Amino acid sequence: MKNLIIILFGKNEEILHTLQRIITGTSGWQAVIQQDLSTCKKYLSSYPVDILLLSSGLSTLEETEIMDHLSYLDHPIGLIKHYGGGSGLLKNEIYSLFPDLIPSK
């Protein structure tokens, strides 16, 4: 199974920790919390990341700036705008970017 590194970018610390717990509960998935725009941009530029997940509390300017930043990177990064809906929705959003990871029944 492919390991995934997912950046959680938002402002609500409690929600970010909940998302982190859900993500890391899946074998091979890692979650890194970022709450500061410039720090998040530096992390995305410096480390191999599979997904950037935008969470609650970001301003429109922050969302636009971080999405624009993705276009300047050397490697493709999936983008998920997740503002709630539960763990099932979250996992389906991730699997939509990586359908080869969907567990077979």
Side-chain angles (χ1 to χ4, degrees):
M1 174 175 273
K2 175 181 172 45
N3 292 329
L4 291 180
I5 300 173
I6 302 167
I7 300 301
L8 308 174
F9 181 45
K11 299 295 181 181
N12 185 311
E13 193 168 346
E14 185 176 338
I15 290 173
L16 292 172
H17 285 288
T18 299
L19 292 170
Q20 183 181 43
R21 181 180 42 78
I22 292 167
I23 289 167
T24 59
T26 301
S27 179
W29 292 8
Q30 300 173 39
V32 177
I33 292 174
Q34 294 288 331
Q35 293 183 280
D36 176 71
L37 178 62
S38 65
T39 305
C40 187
K41 288 167 65 174
K42 287 177 189 172
Y43 194 98
L44 291 167
S45 297
S46 301
Y47 298 99
V49 172
D50 299 295
I51 298 171
L52 171 63
L53 186 146
L54 302 181
S55 186
S56 62
L58 299 172
S59 69
T60 303
L61 180 61
E62 288 171 312
E63 284 192 17
T64 301
E65 194 169 328
I66 198 69
M67 288 188 295
D68 287 348
H69 181 72
L70 294 180
S71 66
Y72 296 108
L73 300 175
D74 297 347
H75 50 283
I77 297 175
L79 176 67
I80 296 173
K81 295 180 180 180
H82 182 83
Y83 303 108
S87 61
L89 176 61
L90 174 62
K91 287 187 177 186
N92 282 327
E93 289 169 332
I94 294 169
Y95 288 135
S96 73
L97 294 176
F98 295 93
D100 55 309
L101 298 180
I102 297 172
S104 57
K105 294 185 178 189

